[in-house]
Amino acid sequence: MKKYIFGLSLFIMNIYSAQVNFTNIPSPDSNANGNDQVMMYITNTNEAAGVKGFGLPAVDAEVDLPYTGVNAPGSRIEVLRGLLLFVKSTGEVMVFDGLVWNKAFEIESDNISRFQLNAVSTTTGTALLPINSLIDKPNFLADPLKLKTNVPTTGVNLNRLYVRQTGLYRINVNLNFTGAAGSFSNRLGASLYVNDVKRFQLLEETVNFDGTNRKINLDFSVYAVQGQYITLESISEVSGTTTYNVTNNSYVTVEKVL
């Protein structure tokens, strides 16, 4: 019986065209079969010196994904369901369900965005905090929540975080200040606005580094609706310090909690 099963297996293998084709020849297209659905080209010939692993095919940006825009399919393409592509600009892996692309997973956490603040000075005690949209993943600056993605970087938009998903957010503001020696005799803090309406205001004693460099770390929790925007403002206590600088080693971190 085993001989019959083995023979039947060989027969099926001979009459069935491969859907997955593995090759390491210099010109993989020359080895392609008309029935191939996947071609894997293996280039690592020296495991001692080479890199081991499986690399997904990649595109530079989401606009480069196939079957999008004017090329979007009118009906589901069954044979392409489960297709994976890595998007370099966002660090996301996208999966195609035969009709549309969806996020499969991300390299960094998908519910935390972190931004560096541009330096800003004030003589009045308050200053809107300019939020830099630069993505620098080695330094943990990323925007999976899309709060600053595709947002103008000048004018009022520089200060705004645009809410893409309705939910509860935790916002951490880590501010570093400089000023004249002895000027930090009162508390400093921050205000949080939603659509230019003040929602919260927090003050705390600054941590004194050397008399001219101070630091505060504040946490806000706010429920925001898709389409709203959040702005942050540094503040000083009434009758307190009015002249100071917020340095560019200050950060805002936004976590979507619910």
Side-chain angles (χ1 to χ4, degrees):
M1 176 62 73
K2 290 183 179 179
K3 291 182 180 179
Y4 289 117
I5 294 175
F6 179 73
L8 180 61
S9 299
L10 288 177
F11 175 74
I12 293 174
M13 290 174 63
N14 284 327
I15 66 172
Y16 187 76
S17 297
Q19 289 185 324
V20 180
N21 197 342
F22 294 85
T23 181
N24 63 355
I25 63 176
S27 301
D29 287 344
S30 65
N31 193 46
N33 184 290
N35 293 312
D36 292 340
Q37 291 188 5
V38 177
M39 170 70 77
M40 180 176 286
Y41 179 37
I42 303 172
T43 59
N44 181 15
T45 58
N46 186 348
E47 289 191 359
V51 177
K52 302 175 183 178
F54 177 74
L56 290 175
V59 295
D60 290 326
E62 287 189 14
V63 295
D64 299 319
L65 291 169
Y67 303 107
T68 58
V70 297
N71 297 316
S75 58
R76 193 178 303 278
I77 306 174
E78 291 294 333
V79 295
L80 292 182
R81 296 187 71 177
L83 178 67
L84 293 172
L85 284 175
F86 179 76
V87 181
K88 296 178 183 178
S89 62
T90 62
E92 297 175 350
V93 174
M94 304 296 289
V95 59
F96 190 58
D97 69 356
L99 196 61
V100 296
W101 290 93
N102 296 290
K103 181 172 62 178
F105 56 86
E106 286 186 294
I107 302 304
E108 72 277 343
S109 174
D110 63 358
N111 68 327
I112 298 177
S113 291
R114 184 172 185 259
F115 309 96
Q116 187 174 15
L117 301 181
N118 292 343
V120 63
S121 301
T122 180
T123 59
T124 64
T126 64
L128 284 174
L129 298 177
I131 303 170
N132 197 313
S133 60
L134 175 69
I135 301 301
D136 182 4
K137 291 181 180 180
N139 290 309
F140 306 104
L141 303 178
D143 189 21
L145 294 174
K146 309 296 189 224
L147 301 170
K148 297 287 286 187
T149 301
N150 297 326
V151 173
T153 57
T154 58
V156 295
N157 288 294
L158 179 60
N159 308 313
R160 294 176 176 177
L161 298 170
Y162 283 90
V163 177
R164 311 293 186 179
Q165 305 173 55
T166 298
L168 178 65
Y169 291 84
R170 184 182 72 86
I171 300 174
N172 175 264
V173 182
N174 188 308
L175 301 180
N176 284 273
F177 301 90
T178 62
S183 66
F184 295 98
S185 58
N186 295 78
R187 295 183 297 168
L188 294 169
S191 297
L192 182 146
Y193 295 78
V194 177
N195 282 18
D196 298 325
V197 177
K198 185 186 295 184
R199 297 283 295 274
F200 303 101
Q201 192 171 64
L202 297 175
L203 286 163
E204 73 171 28
E205 296 286 345
T206 57
V207 176
N208 185 355
F209 288 133
D210 57 11
T212 60
N213 293 277
R214 300 291 185 101
K215 180 185 184 72
I216 62 172
N217 195 346
L218 304 170
D219 278 315
F220 298 93
S221 290
V222 62
Y223 183 85
V225 177
Q226 182 182 26
Q228 292 181 326
Y229 57 86
I230 295 169
T231 50
L232 298 162
E233 178 185 51
S234 65
I235 60 173
S236 63
E237 193 170 21
V238 175
S239 301
T241 301
T242 59
T243 300
Y244 57 81
N245 310 301
V246 178
T247 66
N248 63 0
N249 62 333
S250 301
Y251 299 90
V252 56
T253 304
V254 182
E255 177 185 7
K256 188 174 186 295
V257 180
L258 294 172

